[in-house]
Amino acid sequence: RFLRPFVSLLGGEREKAEAVLKKLVQDNPDSFEPHVVRGYFYNETGNIDAAIQDAQIAYQKAPHNLRVLLLAATVISAEAKLRQEHRSFDLADIRSKLENALPHVAESVEDDPQFATASQSDIEAEIEDRRQVVIDALANLDLIAEQPEAAIARLKAAIDENPDNVGYQWSLANILIGKNQLDRAQELLDGIDDDDFPLAQKLYLQARILAARGDWREAIEVTKRISGDSSLQRMFPATVELLRAECEAQLGHTREELYAYQRAVDANPNSGSARIGLAAAWAKVGRLDEALRVLSVMESSPQVPLLMAEFEIARNLQLPPNARDWTETQRLLDLAAAR
């Protein structure tokens, strides 16, 4: 039942998915689990305020549950990215509880009915997967707390403890690039054995480093290499196209930027970043109706109504004074003010 909404979402049936989740919550009023599932759903679809609400309800019901704490860390990250602040949870409290939960990850798997009949190798793999999710969440909270060296040290310790888990190297490389420590990121990337690390991920990290250095054309060529290979593209097509769109924009290639954002939306219709980028690209070429259409399915996202209002104003100003209608603009501004 909990997977059904995401099946609907992947099929482009967002309203159907939301209706199923609403019924799950109504049918299980004492359980935190539907709120966790719906919280991730809202976070994935860009409705951060709704995600925060579900995360807070889940936290009230089960403040020490690992999945609840991970959802709380997720919405803290989303809120910090969107608003450059986080008010939904006490970051120090969530980080402390995740730190305390980390030594007990193995117990959480062994006590999980889902793994009651699983093989020992499957159990060990799940334990390592959950440990990585927790460590990644803690590293992200370190970054939000403006402690990047703590995040880097945490991931380095995880790599030393389990050098075969390339997921930690992926996370560390992304943090180093994000903090503009490009030489350290390149050194890490150069030291990774090609046989141990998925090629698509290595190419994507290389493209990010090139883009961060301002080598936009070289970065685009690397993204083209990923996009041109279906086996590589399947890993994260929307992410690759978003990076390419940013590079094309830096070079003033407006048409190529628009096409890249369109490919990102096609790959992941629920990506808020892709839709906002595509809308901005349409607006750049004067296609404001297209920009508004792209954003129309995201009105519930906090930053979208104000952006749509800006496009509506620009669209109205293109019309003769006697043909202008400000009704929709006012509705969007009211919606933005209510957030």
Side-chain angles (χ1 to χ4, degrees):
R1 287 186 304 161
F2 292 148
L3 286 174
R4 196 176 303 136
F6 289 93
V7 173
S8 299
L9 180 61
L10 289 171
E13 299 175 305
R14 178 171 173 166
E15 292 182 1
K16 180 179 177 181
E18 195 164 0
V20 173
L21 284 167
K22 182 178 180 180
K23 190 170 190 314
L24 276 175
V25 170
Q26 292 172 341
D27 291 348
N28 301 274
D30 298 324
S31 175
F32 68 87
E33 292 185 1
H35 291 284
V36 171
V37 176
R38 192 168 67 174
Y40 278 115
F41 168 85
Y42 281 133
N43 183 73
E44 174 68 19
T45 54
N47 191 346
I48 183 59
D49 289 330
I52 289 170
Q53 185 176 13
D54 270 313
Q56 290 174 333
I57 294 171
Y59 185 75
Q60 290 170 2
K61 294 176 181 291
H64 296 281
N65 180 272
L66 181 58
R67 287 196 294 149
V68 172
L69 293 172
L70 288 171
L71 174 60
T74 298
V75 299
I76 288 173
S77 175
E79 189 179 23
K81 183 178 180 180
L82 178 64
R83 298 171 176 147
Q84 287 72 56
E85 62 177 352
H86 52 88
R87 295 175 294 178
S88 53
F89 287 93
D90 182 334
L91 186 150
D93 174 58
I94 299 300
R95 186 164 57 172
S96 174
K97 285 178 176 172
L98 280 173
E99 292 271 17
N100 293 334
L102 188 56
H104 305 289
V105 167
E107 297 169 26
S108 75
V109 176
E110 291 161 359
D111 294 340
D112 191 334
Q114 179 183 349
F115 292 91
T117 59
S119 66
Q120 187 59 36
S121 61
D122 286 344
I123 290 173
E124 290 174 358
E126 180 64 19
I127 290 170
E128 183 53 37
D129 285 347
R130 291 193 190 185
R131 279 182 52 81
Q132 182 186 335
V133 170
V134 175
I135 290 171
D136 281 346
L138 284 166
N140 202 32
L141 292 178
D142 291 336
L143 292 176
I144 296 169
E146 298 183 355
Q147 298 172 350
E149 290 305 321
I152 291 168
R154 189 187 298 279
L155 288 167
K156 281 187 172 180
I159 291 170
D160 291 341
E161 185 178 344
N162 192 344
D164 294 331
N165 188 334
V166 296
Y168 295 126
Q169 296 169 320
W170 164 261
S171 298
L172 178 57
N174 274 295
I175 286 176
L176 291 172
I177 296 168
K179 290 300 174 183
N180 209 37
Q181 297 186 28
L182 304 182
D183 290 339
R184 292 175 70 178
Q186 189 66 62
E187 183 181 355
L188 173 65
L189 196 58
D190 291 342
I192 296 173
D193 193 318
D194 287 345
D195 294 333
D196 296 333
F197 204 76
L199 177 60
Q201 289 181 271
K202 196 165 186 178
L203 288 173
Y204 174 71
L205 290 172
Q206 189 63 66
R208 282 200 66 198
I209 292 172
L210 288 167
R213 294 190 191 281
D215 297 328
W216 312 113
R217 287 184 173 81
E218 291 85 349
I220 288 170
E221 290 306 311
V222 176
T223 65
K224 286 181 180 179
R225 185 178 170 189
I226 301 173
S227 299
D229 187 324
S230 59
S231 64
L232 300 180
Q233 188 191 35
R234 279 196 297 271
M235 294 195 68
F236 35 71
T239 307
V240 172
E241 295 299 346
L242 284 173
L243 177 59
R244 180 171 175 184
E246 293 167 10
C247 294
E248 299 285 11
Q250 290 291 335
L251 293 171
H253 298 166
T254 304
R255 184 177 63 178
E256 289 78 4
E257 175 195 0
L258 193 153
Y259 289 162
Y261 276 126
Q262 184 63 67
R263 289 192 297 271
V265 171
D266 291 343
N268 183 3
N270 301 302
S271 169
S273 299
R275 284 192 172 274
I276 290 171
L278 179 58
W282 277 121
K284 195 183 294 186
V285 297
R287 298 286 297 278
L288 295 167
D289 287 339
E290 282 296 322
L292 289 163
R293 181 189 62 79
V294 167
L295 292 179
S296 62
V297 299
M298 291 184 60
E299 274 193 21
S300 58
S301 299
Q303 76 274 36
V304 169
L306 185 58
L307 182 59
M308 291 181 70
E310 292 175 4
F311 292 157
E312 276 287 348
I313 291 170
R315 189 175 68 86
N316 265 304
L317 291 175
Q318 292 177 344
L319 301 172
N322 61 352
R324 294 171 186 170
D325 183 351
W326 302 101
T327 306
E328 179 63 6
T329 304
Q330 188 59 58
R331 184 188 71 81
L332 289 165
L333 288 171
D334 290 342
L335 193 59
R339 297 297 162 83

